[in-house]
Amino acid sequence: MSDRKMPLGVSIITILMYIGAILDIAAGVFFLIETADVADAAGVENSTITGAAIGLIVVGVIVGLLAMGLRHGSNGVRILIAVVMVLRIAGSIYIIFALPTARFEGFVSGVVAIVILYFLYGSEGTKAFFEGTS
């Protein structure tokens, strides 16, 4: 762990990422358990819901691992998190339009990703922490 003091923004990002990871994994597990019902409600094939469920679980695990690495102040982890958040926003937009029954979840996931990106790149203290100059 770095000797540098972690900015509040990094702590907030870590907490939000853990929340997002838990929600992704929980939604993925729910979709796997209730595949047929969710597919019927969404008007799509079971395989579509199964694929989305597995994708949610994988993304949740990746985001959780990145959140653990975030505290070290690695700029590489910062960039990876930004890429994952952009993918999360894209997935949220898809969910909002393709799965009407999950619009709220898609919206919340997208908003959380935008907040994380703001804290990741919008604060001078956070930028300095990742550049090693804080």
Side-chain angles (χ1 to χ4, degrees), residues 88-111:
R88 180 181 295 258
I89 292 167
S92 295
I93 292 168
Y94 172 77
I95 287 170
I96 289 168
F97 291 106
L99 299 172
T101 58
R103 281 190 179 138
F104 178 75
E105 292 83 352
F107 176 76
V108 170
S109 180
V111 168

Side-chain angles (χ1 to χ4, degrees), residues 45-79:
E45 297 291 324
N46 285 1
S47 60
T48 301
I49 299 302
T50 301
I54 292 168
L56 280 169
I57 293 169
V58 169
V59 167
V61 169
I62 291 169
V63 170
L65 291 172
L66 289 172
M68 284 193 283
L70 188 63
R71 295 186 168 273
H72 295 295
S74 167
N75 200 41
V77 170
R78 179 182 183 215
I79 292 168

